[in-house]
Structures are given as C-alpha cells and as structure tokens.
Amino acid sequence: GTASYTLNAKVMDVDRAFIRDTSNIDHPVNLISKDDYLSLGDKTVTSMPSQLWQNKQIAGTIIYLYPVPDDATDVLHMLVANKLQDMDAAANNIDLNAIWLRALKYILAADLAPEMGFPQDEMMALYRMGEQLKTEAIGSSGDFTSIFISQY
C-alpha cells in the first residue's frame, strides 16, 4: 500500500476520516499530531490504517497513514474543509456558504466599531452576536467536502 497522499491544494484541513472495507464496514481513523506521528516506531508496518497525520503545506496537504494500508480494496473517506477562492477581481463572487454571511457581517462590524467611534458595549454586543452566528455556522458542517481515496 501507499503510506502518504498529496491532497488537492484547495484542501485546508481534514476534519474526520474513516476507512470503509469491502464488507461496507467503517473503521475510524484517528487524526494525530506531528509529534505523535514522529514518535511511531516502524512506519513501514502494514495493516488497516488507524491513524492519520496531516502535514499542511502551501502546495497542498500531505496525509500520512499508519499503519501503511495492506488492502487495496479498502477506501479512505475524509471530511475536509476547503480554502475559499481568492477574491482578486471585482467580478468574483464570494465562495462562501450563505450561513456564514451573517457571522462575517457581525464580526466585521465589531472589528470596525472602534474606528467608527462605537461605544465599547455596542462593539461587544456585535462581537458576541458574530461569535454566536459563527458557532452556528460551524455546527452546520456546510463547508466541508467529502473526499474518497481508493486503491492505495
């Protein structure tokens, strides 16, 4: 099997992962830190992967599976967050799920409030509303995309 994969440059973060075997049974894959991955012993051991480290780089995220996959018919499924498209021209539309727009509006208003002379209590009210809307948007999971990798 293959121990590492380079994901599309649009992928910003892996949120969750699991492996689905040929019997349609899902096996969790735990996301681990760089330190945890580096502390693993023999990284050539083969079996069904149970751990994944994501090495985030400018060109794209590289994921490392441990143990190295031993069954080419199993499929790795990941829920990932993608980077937003750059807003580099007036004709561009914002690449943002609509649920985030109100949160963005309130957080931006709170950020600009001191420059506009708003009282502290009004600024904090804007900020709290923005944070509440952000929490709701995160809970909606609307900005994640599934990725499937097969034939390791």
Side-chain angles (χ1 to χ4, degrees):
T2 302
S4 67
Y5 295 91
T6 301
L7 304 180
N8 184 304
K10 288 175 46 176
V11 174
M12 185 174 69
D13 189 42
V14 177
D15 183 61
R16 281 173 255 163
F18 64 91
I19 292 177
R20 182 166 293 153
D21 65 23
T22 54
S23 300
N24 257 353
I25 296 174
D26 294 343
H27 304 270
V29 175
N30 296 315
L31 303 180
I32 61 172
S33 69
K34 179 180 183 177
D35 287 341
D36 289 342
Y37 181 77
L38 294 176
S39 70
L40 295 171
D42 183 359
K43 293 179 183 64
T44 63
V45 171
T46 60
S47 185
M48 179 175 287
S50 60
Q51 299 179 1
L52 180 152
W53 169 51
Q54 52 185 323
N55 183 2
K56 299 174 188 177
Q57 300 180 2
I58 293 172
T61 297
I62 301 171
I63 59 166
Y64 294 87
L65 297 170
Y66 181 83
V68 176
D70 63 348
D71 188 341
T73 61
D74 291 343
V75 179
L76 175 65
H77 293 254
M78 295 179 293
L79 189 63
V80 301
N82 287 325
K83 293 176 186 172
L84 297 177
Q85 175 184 350
D86 287 339
M87 297 294 296
D88 56 0
N92 289 144
N93 290 323
I94 191 165
D95 183 20
L96 189 64
N97 188 315
I99 197 162
W100 285 93
L101 295 178
R102 286 191 66 221
L104 180 62
K105 177 175 69 172
Y106 276 92
I107 293 170
L108 179 59
D111 190 48
L112 295 173
E115 296 173 34
M116 307 306 287
F118 275 71
Q120 180 77 16
D121 61 331
E122 290 182 28
M123 180 187 72
M124 290 308 297
L126 290 169
Y127 178 77
R128 281 190 301 274
M129 177 59 86
E131 286 298 309
Q132 177 184 338
L133 292 166
K134 182 175 91 172
T135 299
E136 291 172 12
I138 290 170
S140 75
S141 296
D143 286 340
F144 287 95
T145 304
S146 293
I147 292 181
F148 312 105
I149 298 177
S150 62
Q151 297 192 4
Y152 329 151

